[in-house]
Amino acid sequence: MAKQTPLYATHVRLGGKMVDFAGWDMPLHYGSQVEEHHHVRRDAGMFDVSHMLALDLDGAGAHDLLHKLIANNVDKLTVPGRALYSCMLNPQGGVIDDLIVYFFRPDFYRIVVNAGTADKDLAWISQHAGNVSVKPRRDLAMIAVQGPNARAKAWVALPGSQAASAELKPFHAAWFGDALIARTGYTGEDGFELMIPAERAEVTWDALLAAGVEPAGLGARDTLRLEAGMALYGQDMDEQTSPLEAGLAWTVDLAAPRDFIGKSVLAARRPEKQTFGLLLEDRGVLRAHQKVRTAQGEGEITSGSFSPTMNRSIALARMPAGVAAGDTVEVEIRDKRLKATVVKPPFVRNGKVLV
């Protein structure tokens, strides 16, 4: 039996096409995935992301726990509400999950983990927590409001929220009563991710709808994040993949003297592969698991799709070290080899094509 978010009935009422995603009933789209994609790039769209899990870490050892568990450095977090993206690694340097950490006090952090890895993450963190309280917050709903007009429309929908959040910089969050407003997202556009008590999810969604924010489903979320060059757990990284090979070296702090789980392996091993973007030059659609032929050897597409913004096919691909932006490679699609150009992602950010 698939789990349901507090907004399940709302999605059904709005005609959402419900599908199973990581064991949750979630809307794929509400009629047109492409139109939903364009709403986010051009105006404002919203996603139910309540299937993801917030975990509150509370206790004097919370800072030291995160020092040990994540590859990025929580010492960067000095202002309350500041957020940090990181990977959590196993001892072999593979990615257990990618997550966001919110800092409020040295003894209190909130982290948000992926739906498909939530149980595994909770068990792993609890195993290392010691005296730190690890509290799953399934009493919260999460709504991502994304697009160039997202913040302005969210302020209309949530009276009083502008005073709390207008000065937020990207990757910062602020409390609005018992809700958390974070200037984060997974689309390459500006906007907020709202964490609110589950019992207020429906009324908040309907207020955003009345303010002109269009509902969007998993399909648009995937094409938006791919255009933004953002990795998807389980496709672009997993427990067998190092963040250094998944295009996430910028999230790994090997320079600081602190130790973290997986650090010694990453420090000792030179990455044999690297992740770049691909632009298909011939007709076709790039998809995950298609083989990529390069002068340095074989690679593989990890995420691929048609880009509604660019009107062409794009992908993220893991290829041998030595491949560089500007190279021409060949992708095997239905027994054909089609030409593609190697580029450095992101493809699109803030409505602008960058490649």
Side-chain angles (χ1 to χ4, degrees):
M1 183 83 178
K3 301 175 214 172
Q4 296 175 353
T5 76
L7 287 163
Y8 174 81
T10 303
H11 303 315
V12 173
R13 170 168 56 88
L14 293 172
K17 178 178 172 55
M18 308 305 289
V19 297
D20 181 279
F21 180 79
W24 292 80
D25 275 330
M26 298 297 293
L28 181 64
H29 59 73
Y30 300 85
S32 171
Q33 175 180 326
V34 171
E35 286 182 14
E36 292 165 20
H37 178 108
H38 289 317
H39 276 304
V40 174
R41 283 277 178 255
R42 299 168 182 172
D43 186 7
M46 59 181 166
F47 306 85
D48 178 11
V49 291
S50 306
H51 58 316
M52 300 179 73
L53 179 63
L55 297 169
D56 286 348
L57 307 184
D58 202 343
H63 173 270
D64 291 344
L65 174 63
L66 288 171
H67 248 190
K68 176 182 179 180
L69 285 181
I70 68 171
N72 215 334
N73 194 345
V74 291
D75 289 347
K76 298 173 183 177
L77 304 179
T78 57
V79 177
R82 178 78 190 274
L84 183 74
Y85 174 75
S86 182
C87 292
M88 183 165 63
L89 308 181
N90 59 29
Q92 295 75 41
V95 182
I96 292 173
D97 199 11
D98 65 323
L99 49 84
I100 293 181
V101 179
Y102 296 92
F103 164 76
F104 298 103
R105 302 186 309 269
D107 62 349
F108 179 58
Y109 296 79
R110 174 171 290 174
I111 64 178
V112 177
V113 303
N114 284 304
T117 56
D119 292 342
K120 175 182 71 171
D121 292 354
L122 177 58
W124 178 255
I125 294 166
S126 299
Q127 176 186 329
H128 296 278
N131 293 325
V132 178
S133 166
V134 183
K135 183 179 180 182
R137 297 300 306 272
R138 281 292 176 208
D139 58 318
L140 298 177
M142 288 186 263
I143 301 174
V145 190
Q146 302 281 290
N149 298 321
R151 292 198 304 148
K153 291 190 173 185
W155 291 329
V156 171
L158 303 171
S161 62
Q162 184 169 356
S165 60
E167 299 304 315
L168 283 178
K169 296 176 182 176
F171 259 69
H172 288 71
W175 293 105
F176 176 52
D178 56 1
L180 187 68
I181 302 177
R183 197 172 175 188
T184 52
Y186 193 50
T187 63
E189 296 296 328
D190 201 357
F192 292 136
E193 290 183 308
L194 310 174
M195 299 181 215
I196 55 178
E199 62 269 18
R200 294 212 307 274
E202 188 170 3
V203 68
T204 302
W205 183 276
D206 287 344
L208 289 163
L209 198 61
V213 183
E214 294 290 333
L218 293 174
R221 193 165 184 253
D222 193 54
T223 52
L224 288 159
R225 71 91 192 166
L226 179 57
E227 288 184 349
M230 295 178 173
L232 175 64
Y233 189 83
Q235 285 190 202
D236 305 302
M237 59 188 144
D238 52 36
E239 292 209 35
Q240 284 70 52
T241 307
S242 151
L244 304 182
E245 295 187 334
L248 296 172
W250 61 276
T251 72
V252 178
D253 180 10
L254 292 173
R258 73 182 178 106
D259 195 15
F260 60 84
I261 295 170
K263 180 180 181 179
S264 60
V265 176
L266 297 189
R269 184 194 304 158
R270 188 171 184 174
E272 296 177 359
K273 295 187 177 180
Q274 58 186 338
T275 294
F276 271 106
L278 295 180
L279 294 174
L280 187 62
E281 302 297 345
D282 296 321
R283 289 176 62 86
V285 179
L286 300 176
R287 299 289 187 199
H289 308 302
Q290 291 169 344
K291 299 299 180 188
V292 182
R293 304 288 182 180
T294 81
Q296 287 76 21
E298 187 179 281
E300 184 178 46
I301 289 176
T302 54
S303 286
S305 186
F306 182 79
S307 160
T309 304
M310 301 172 66
N311 199 34
R312 65 189 301 185
S313 195
I314 63 173
L316 297 176
R318 194 171 302 128
M319 296 176 286
V323 174
D327 288 356
T328 298
V329 298
E330 292 182 326
V331 182
E332 294 184 2
I333 303 177
R334 294 200 183 98
D335 300 322
K336 294 181 180 178
R337 291 192 178 186
L338 304 184
K339 293 193 182 307
T341 301
V342 178
V343 297
K344 184 177 180 180
F347 303 91
V348 181
R349 282 281 172 96
N350 297 315
K352 293 187 174 67
V353 175
L354 302 178
V355 294

